[in-house]
Amino acid sequence: MAAKNHRNGMALKEVWRKEENALCADCGKPDPDWASCTLGVFICLDCSMIHRNIPSISKVKSLRMDHWDEAQVQFLAQHGNAVAKATYEAHVPIYYYHPVHTDCLLLREQWIQTKYQRKEFMEPGKHLPYSNGLKEGILWKRGRDNGQYFPRRFLLSEREGCLKYFTKQDAKEPKIIIKIDTINATFQPEKIGHPNGLQITYLKDNKTRNIFLYHEDGKEIVDWFNAIRAVLFHYLKVAFPVASDKELKSRLTRNFLKEGYMEKTGPRQKEPFKKRWFTLDHRRLMYFKDPLDAFAKGEVFVGSGENGYSIKQGMPAGIQGSFTWPYVITIVTPDRDYLFTCETERDRQEWVAAFSHVIEQPMTPQEYAIEAYFKLKP
């Protein structure tokens, strides 16, 4: 018996060490140490906990701590992550969002359920609830002034190239029409205070506007998210006909590079520092009095190093402003320097890394146009 267990253990390690099984089959996290003995996939601890919620589909075991019999090891050897991907992800639409291990729980849950439970990607041409270019339904929207959430009717139309919402379910005229090419969507459960919280941002007169939404049904809000990506993808296909699908996919919805509190001073650099919530959305640094404000109190354009933008740590000489947080960042632009303070050194290094990532990238023609707009602002 001991010899047989030893052989099973060695065989399990051999399958586990295969390159195709080096990342979690569902979120891509390195070094997965759990596996589904019914699906034959290698997964991380976090994804294994999601698999436990679909016991009729997946039974998970630890690769380190649990006993694996010979039949189970052979099953893993015959399957593995590559076979599972070819089976359960055979026809994933190009626009469908593939969550990674840093994404929120909701996205990872719905990805796993969509693949293995609903099996939406196994057959070509299957009708999907987010693929026909038209979606309508009720979402709970945060009021701009009172902070309460109310049910609102939303309509997404590929033909019209926009997202609309109506204050009343039977209203004929929408409250707002949002052009699809200005929209971004990102899940924000902690900020919104709901596990299914979705933040929509769009440009209005070249200024960022936020809408905060949720739906009690996790599948429904993720379907909305992917429907927005689908409509945006088809818009980009028409607008940029020579671009590859891979290029267009990279221009769909994006997560913010960094968010959090910093203190800021005014343009004279003598005003008292005030605590503000900051969001870095690629080259737009926005600051808000409250994280759930609809409009930013101000925006700063962050260009590239070759155009005179840089980041420095520490306070410039001669600055006498009153601030409470000691870890200082200076954003240098061609027009002026912006001073910010962080509460901890870790916060500062995270902000420096995020700003550096942006500044190191060359600017596109569209970004030169945005920079020009910022310079013309009063």
Side-chain angles (χ1 to χ4, degrees), residues 15-24 28-32 42 81:
V15 179
W16 189 5
R17 282 197 297 261
K18 286 185 177 180
E19 184 177 356
E20 67 183 71
N21 300 324
L23 302 176
C24 174
K29 188 174 184 179
D31 304 317
F42 291 78
N81 290 0

Side-chain angles (χ1 to χ4, degrees), residues 268-279:
R268 294 183 298 163
Q269 300 180 350
K270 294 180 180 180
E271 300 89 341
F273 280 72
K274 295 181 180 179
K275 182 180 176 182
R276 294 290 182 257
W277 177 266
F278 285 82
T279 296

